[in-house]
Amino acid sequence: MLGQLVVRKLDDDVKVRLKQRAKRNGRSLEAEVREILSGVVAAEGSELDAREGFGTRMHRHFAEGGLTKEESSLLDEAIEEVRRGSMPREPGLV
């Protein structure tokens, strides 16, 4: 279902500038506003993805395919070494 949006109390100058922009882009005022809003929301989504925590990104990454047996084994070894207070042998595994 497609929604509708009514914007009240929009400055006349903003409306005029939106109409000018729409004309430059060969779109109706409605299509121009739709394009602007869609672009802003899409860009914001990218920023939110970038601000996700490491754990959230890792969970999403591995939820699809999981770890191979070798990766799982290496991770388990690294975790055990950290628990014992020593550094993992493989760089980057913590």
Side-chain angles (χ1 to χ4, degrees):
M1 178 176 184
L2 299 176
Q4 294 184 351
L5 176 68
V6 176
V7 179
R8 294 185 176 89
K9 298 181 182 181
L10 185 66
D11 289 338
D12 290 336
D13 181 55
V14 172
K15 185 176 179 182
V16 167
R17 292 175 70 189
L18 284 169
K19 283 183 178 182
Q20 291 170 344
R21 179 180 166 142
K23 186 176 181 178
R24 277 194 316 270
N25 293 322
R27 293 190 271 258
S28 67
L29 175 59
E30 181 181 335
E32 186 67 21
V33 171
R34 198 169 31 247
E35 184 69 24
I36 291 168
L37 292 173
S38 296
V40 168
V41 170
E44 185 179 77
S46 297
E47 290 173 15
L48 289 176
D49 289 345
R51 286 186 271 161
E52 279 183 334
F54 176 74
T56 302
R57 290 194 315 266
M58 292 298 289
H59 174 75
R60 187 175 55 251
H61 176 77
F62 291 113
E64 295 173 4
L67 295 172
T68 66
K69 287 185 178 186
E70 181 184 1
E71 290 169 330
S72 180
S73 177
L74 288 171
L75 181 59
D76 289 342
E77 288 176 24
I79 290 170
E80 277 307 309
E81 289 180 22
V82 169
R83 285 184 179 149
R84 287 193 305 264
S86 61
M87 293 300 295
R89 288 170 288 189
E90 291 285 329
L93 290 178
V94 180

